[in-house]
Amino acid sequence: MDQFADLSATASPSSAAPAVGPEPLRYRVGGMDCPSCVAKVETALRRLPGVDAISLNYQSQLLKLTLDPAATPREGLEQVIRALGYTLQRLDGLSIVAADGTTIAEEADSAAGTPWWLSPKLRITLVIGLLVAAGWVLPWLLPTAEPYALLPAALAGLAVFGRRALLLARTGSPFSIEMLMVVATLGAIAIGETAEASVVVLLFAIGELLEGVAAGRARSGIRALTALVPRMALLVEEGGARAIPAARVEVGQTLLVRPGDRVPADGTISDGRSDLDESPITGESVPVTRGEGDTVLAGSINRTGALQIRVTRAAADNTIARIIRMVEEAEASRAPTARFIERFSARYTPLVILIALLTVLIPPLVAGADWQTWIYRGLAVLLIGCPCALVLSTPAAITSGIAAGARRGLLIKGGAALEAMGHMRTVAFDKTGTLTRGEPQVTDLVLLSGSDGTLMGLAAAVETGSSHPIARAILAKAAAEAVPPRPVREQKAQPGRAAEGIVIGRRVEVGSVRHALERGASLPLDRVEALEAAGKTVVAVLADGQALGLIAVRDEPRPDAARALARLRALGVRTLMLTGDNARTAAAIADGLGIEVQAGLLPEDKLRAITDLKQDGPVAMVGDGINDGPALAAADVGVAMGGGTDVALESADAALLGSRVDGVADMITLSRATLRTIHQNVVIALGLKAVFLVTTLAGVTGLWLAVLADTGATVIVTLNAMRLLASRSALR
C-alpha cells in the first residue's frame, strides 16, 4: 500500500484525537545541505493532506508549516521527513521538545546541529569504505572471489541510496541525484563494471559527507550571532545578585553587568556609567559611553564600570534574537538569480537525461559502436547531469553575504535587496538623523510675543512624546531651563509640516517657516535668512495662527559622513541629499560634505524625486525609517538608519544597525563581492560539467570522476561562497 494511503488510514476519525483544526508547527531538519534538499522535502510535504504554509530554509534548517492532524497525524508527517534521510527535532517556542513533551535544549544551541563526526553520513561512508577496502584485499586471499569482491560495497550503497531514491520518486522528485546515482550504479553492475559501481557509491557517500561539512561551516554566521548572548545573567535582588539563565530573563527585572561581561538582554541603564563595545551588533568599532536612562543592546560588551540594567525585552525578542530571525527569513527568500537558476535546472536535468539516453543509443545504432562502451559513457553522462552544484551556486553566496553583513551591523533583508545594492546608480540620503547626528541643539530663540518660558513651554508641550530630532532638542532645552510641563490634548502631526495640539485652550503649532507662512503668520524673514545662512534649522511657534517666536537648532554632520560619500563616489555612485529643511541650512551641510542637495521637500516631494531618479537607473534611499516612509518604499532598496531600534530592524529593505553612513558603501561593496562570487560559482558549476562531459564522451574519464563533477563542484562553490564570511576585504 502506498505510504500516503497508510498515513491517511492512520488519521481516520476512529483512531485520531478530536480535531482541533490546523496548528502551526516548527521543526529543525538536520542533514539539509543545499536547496535541492529543500525542494525534496517541500515536494513530499505538499503531497500530504492537511499540510499548508510550508516554509523551509536549508541554511537555518528551520521548517515552519501548519498541519491539520485530522487529515495527517503529526507522527506521519515526521515519518515522511525521516524516511527521506533527514533528522528531525520539534521546536516549541525557543526550546526543542522531545517526543514525550519534555524540553531538552534551547533552540539557539540546536543551530549548530550534529557534528559531522557523529552524523549518519559518516557512518554510511565508513561502512561503504570498509566494504570497498575489503573488496580490494579479498582477491589477494581468495583469487576466485575477484569478480564479486566489490559487489557487497555497491549493494550496500544501493540499499541506502536506492531506498531514498524510490521514496523521493514516490513523493514527487523522480529526477533526484539519488535516482541518477542508483541508475548509474545498477547499469555499471549490469555491464560487469562492479569495481566502478563500488567506487561510485563510495564517492557519492564521501561527497554527501563533505557537502554536510561545508554547509555546517557556512551556517557559522548564525551561530556567531547566537553566541553573542551569554548563557547566564546576574539578577539583582535584595542582598545581592544571583545567576539565572539568560533565556529566563523577564521584562522589568534588573540585571547586574560587571566590567568585561556581555549584556544579557536589551534594556535601559538604571544605575551606573560605562563604555560599551557594541561592535558585535552594530559594527561600530569605537566604544560608546552609556549612562543612566540610555538604552543598551544584548550582546554588547561592558568595558569599564558596573551597570544595573532594567530589562525591556525578553530573550525571545531581544535585538540578537530579532536579527537572527530576520537573517533566517532573508536567507529563505530567493534572490532573482536563484529563482532563474532553479527554473533553469528544472529543465536542465531532464535534458541531460535525454542526452545520456542518446549517448547510449546513437553510436551503437548509427555507427555500430560497442554497446557496453557507450552504455558506460551514457551512465557517466547521467551522473554529470545532476544540478546540485548549479542550484547551490547562488543561494550559498547570498546566504554568506547576508550573514557577513549581519556580523558587521548591515542587516539586509533578502537576496533581492543584496543583489540590487550592487547595481545602484544613485544613493539618496535624508539629512537629519542620517547624514547628521540627529541630535540638534537649540541655539537661538527669537521672541515675537510673550517670554522665553512661554515660548519653550508651549513648544515643548506640543512636542511631548515625539521622537523627531528637532522635537528632542526642544524638549531637552525645556528640561534644561526647568520649564514646567503643560498639559496637551488633541496632539497630531502633519509630516514634513508641523506638530500641533491644544495647550491651555490655545491651538499651538510648531512647524517649518514654510508652514507658518502658508498659515498667514508674520515672520521676520531677514532674521530667518540670517539663521539659515549659519546652517541652522528654524521652526516657528504659532498660537491660534499668530507667531509667538522662532526656535533655531543646529545639527552637525556625522563624523564618517564625508568619508562615506567619498567612498560612494569612488564606487561610481551618484549621491544626493533630499531634505525637508530649508535651502540655506541644507546647502551649508551639503557644501561641507560635497553632496548634491534638493531642499524644502515634503514627503510627497521626496517620493516624486525618487521616482524621477529611477529613470536614470536603480536608486537606494537612506533615511530614518519614519518620516521617509514613502521614499524608502519607492526606492529600489530602502535603507533605514538606526542603532538596533524597532524601526531600523523592521522597516525598509535593509538597516544600518550602527547608524554609520559608511555602512551604505560597505553594503554596496559587499553586494558586488557577492555578485562576483555568484558568477564564479556558476562558471565553476557549469565549467566542470562541460569539461567532464567532453572527456567522458571521448572516453578519457569514467564513472567515478563523473561523480566528482557534481559532488566536487558542490563543495567548491560552497567553500568559495564562505570566503565572504571569512574575509573583511569583501567590505573594502
Side-chain angles (χ1 to χ4, degrees):
M1 181 180 290
D2 187 80
Q3 180 174 351
F4 299 108
D6 292 340
L7 293 178
S8 299
T10 305
S12 62
S14 60
S15 61
V20 293
E23 59 175 325
L25 295 176
R26 300 168 69 249
Y27 291 95
R28 185 75 66 183
V29 184
M32 292 195 306
D33 303 327
C34 69
S36 296
C37 299
V38 173
K40 294 170 186 175
V41 176
E42 287 181 342
T43 301
L45 292 180
R46 289 194 188 101
R47 295 167 67 95
L48 295 177
V51 177
D52 197 13
I54 301 170
S55 173
L56 181 57
N57 178 6
Y58 88 92
Q59 277 293 346
S60 65
Q61 300 183 315
L62 186 64
L63 167 64
K64 301 177 185 178
L65 53 84
T66 58
L67 175 68
D68 184 354
T72 296
R74 180 186 297 167
E75 294 76 13
L77 177 143
E78 295 172 355
Q79 176 189 343
V80 169
I81 298 175
R82 290 193 175 100
L84 293 175
Y86 304 104
T87 61
L88 201 64
Q89 293 172 312
R90 181 162 60 91
L91 303 180
D92 181 16
L94 283 179
S95 303
I96 300 175
V97 180
D100 60 1
T102 59
T103 300
I104 58 176
E106 293 300 319
E107 178 181 343
D109 296 337
S110 75
T114 303
W116 67 269
W117 57 87
L118 298 177
S119 68
K121 291 181 179 180
L122 178 61
R123 293 195 292 272
I124 292 170
T125 303
L126 289 176
V127 169
I128 297 175
L130 289 173
L131 289 174
V132 169
W136 286 106
V137 172
L138 185 60
W140 291 83
L141 305 176
L142 189 63
T144 57
E146 183 173 359
Y148 313 103
L150 289 166
L151 187 58
L155 294 178
L158 285 174
V160 175
F161 303 120
R163 178 175 175 272
R164 194 188 307 170
L166 290 175
L167 181 59
L168 285 168
R170 292 167 62 189
T171 54
S173 302
F175 299 127
S176 64
I177 176 59
E178 289 85 355
M179 182 62 76
L180 299 182
M181 192 277 299
V182 166
V183 171
T185 304
L186 286 172
I189 293 174
I191 62 176
E193 297 287 351
T194 307
E196 291 275 6
S198 65
V199 173
V200 164
V201 295
L202 176 59
L203 288 177
F204 184 79
I206 293 173
E208 279 211 324
L209 178 64
L210 292 177
E211 288 176 17
V213 173
R217 291 284 304 276
R219 293 185 184 105
S220 61
I222 292 294
R223 294 203 298 273
L225 289 173
T226 303
L228 292 178
V229 179
R231 292 181 176 272
M232 304 299 291
L234 293 176
L235 177 64
V236 176
E237 298 178 322
E238 291 185 11
R242 67 180 174 92
I244 62 171
R248 302 288 181 258
V249 167
E250 298 178 0
V251 174
Q253 291 180 328
T254 299
L255 306 178
L256 173 64
V257 182
R258 301 165 301 189
D261 289 350
R262 285 190 183 271
V263 177
D266 287 3
T268 303
I269 298 175
S270 58
D271 184 60
R273 189 173 185 84
S274 181
D275 293 331
L276 289 173
D277 178 3
E278 297 180 348
S279 60
I281 305 98
T282 67
E284 179 59 60
S285 58
V286 179
V288 292
T289 302
R290 303 289 189 203
E292 189 171 338
D294 289 336
T295 298
V296 294
L297 306 178
S300 303
I301 303 171
N302 184 19
R303 290 299 188 193
T304 50
L307 297 174
Q308 290 192 17
I309 296 172
R310 187 170 184 81
V311 178
T312 56
R313 287 197 183 97
D317 196 39
N318 67 33
T319 299
I320 297 297
R322 288 182 296 149
I323 291 173
I324 290 173
R325 283 198 297 271
M326 289 180 181
V327 170
E328 287 180 342
E329 291 169 1
E331 291 174 343
S333 68
R334 291 175 170 87
T337 303
R339 289 195 294 269
F340 169 77
I341 288 179
E342 286 175 4
R343 292 194 300 269
F344 171 77
S345 64
R347 295 167 176 81
Y348 164 85
T349 304
L351 176 63
V352 170
I353 293 174
L354 177 61
I355 293 174
L357 184 60
L358 294 176
T359 301
V360 171
L361 297 176
I362 291 178
L365 292 177
V366 174
D370 178 61
W371 277 99
Q372 180 166 331
T373 298
W374 286 97
I375 289 174
Y376 179 87
R377 294 179 184 180
L379 295 174
V381 171
L382 199 64
L383 291 177
I384 293 170
C386 177
C388 283
L390 179 62
V391 172
L392 184 62
S393 60
T394 296
I398 292 291
T399 297
S400 294
I402 289 172
R407 287 182 176 185
R408 296 161 176 82
L410 313 176
L411 186 58
I412 305 167
K413 301 180 187 177
L418 179 59
E419 278 195 27
M421 283 301 294
H423 299 294
M424 287 300 118
R425 297 287 300 277
T426 304
V427 177
F429 292 88
D430 176 44
K431 180 180 75 70
T432 305
T434 301
L435 289 175
T436 61
R437 295 176 182 272
E439 299 174 358
Q441 295 181 341
V442 174
T443 58
D444 300 88
L445 297 179
V446 179
L447 287 177
L448 303 178
S449 176
S451 65
D452 288 357
T454 300
L455 180 67
M456 290 303 305
L458 294 176
V462 170
E463 298 287 11
T464 299
S466 173
S467 60
H468 191 280
I470 293 178
R472 293 200 301 268
I474 291 173
L475 292 169
K477 178 68 172 179
E481 298 292 335
V483 176
R486 290 174 168 80
V488 60
R489 56 188 177 86
E490 299 183 21
Q491 271 183 294
K492 62 180 181 179
Q494 302 177 40
R497 292 179 177 272
E500 62 178 276
I502 304 297
V503 185
I504 55 176
R506 307 172 74 183
R507 178 165 296 279
V508 178
E509 300 168 81
V510 181
S512 66
V513 171
R514 174 178 175 178
H515 171 76
L517 294 175
E518 289 175 352
R519 294 276 285 120
S522 176
L523 301 178
L525 296 181
D526 56 341
R527 189 67 187 276
V528 170
E529 291 178 1
L531 292 170
E532 290 178 348
K536 300 174 182 178
T537 298
V538 181
V539 295
V541 181
L542 311 181
D544 295 329
Q546 301 298 313
L548 298 182
L550 305 174
I551 300 177
V553 300
R554 180 162 50 202
D555 189 12
E556 297 300 324
R558 293 183 183 274
D560 67 330
R563 181 179 69 251
L565 295 175
R567 283 187 60 197
L568 287 172
R569 288 192 293 271
L571 291 170
V573 177
R574 176 190 177 193
T575 59
L576 177 68
M577 180 197 297
L578 303 178
T579 178
D581 215 337
N582 66 83
R584 289 186 179 84
T585 301
I589 297 293
D591 289 346
L593 297 176
I595 184 174
E596 299 176 50
V597 62
Q598 294 182 23
L601 304 181
L602 297 174
E604 56 266 30
D605 298 324
K606 290 186 180 181
L607 175 60
R608 191 160 40 250
I610 292 294
T611 302
D612 293 341
L613 289 169
K614 289 174 70 173
Q615 295 178 7
D616 297 325
V619 178
M621 174 68 192
V622 187
D624 59 16
I626 304 173
N627 299 323
D628 302 305
L632 288 169
D636 293 283
V637 176
V639 182
M641 300 286 288
T645 64
D646 289 337
V647 169
L649 291 175
E650 295 172 11
S651 68
D653 305 297
L656 305 176
L657 301 187
S659 294
R660 295 180 299 108
V661 185
D662 224 14
V664 180
D666 287 344
M667 205 174 285
I668 291 176
T669 306
L670 176 62
S671 172
R672 293 181 179 179
T674 303
L675 291 172
R676 284 196 302 272
T677 302
I678 290 173
H679 299 154
Q680 293 166 0
N681 282 352
V682 171
V683 169
I684 290 169
L686 292 179
L688 280 177
K689 290 183 183 299
V691 168
F692 280 101
L693 179 62
V694 171
T695 57
T696 297
L697 293 176
V700 177
T701 55
L703 283 177
W704 66 274
L705 281 175
V707 176
L708 290 182
D710 182 70
T711 57
T714 300
V715 173
I716 291 172
V717 300
T718 302
L719 294 176
N720 188 45
M722 287 169 55
R723 292 188 305 111
L724 294 168
L725 283 171
S727 175
R728 284 189 169 270
S729 62
L731 298 184
R732 290 291 179 263

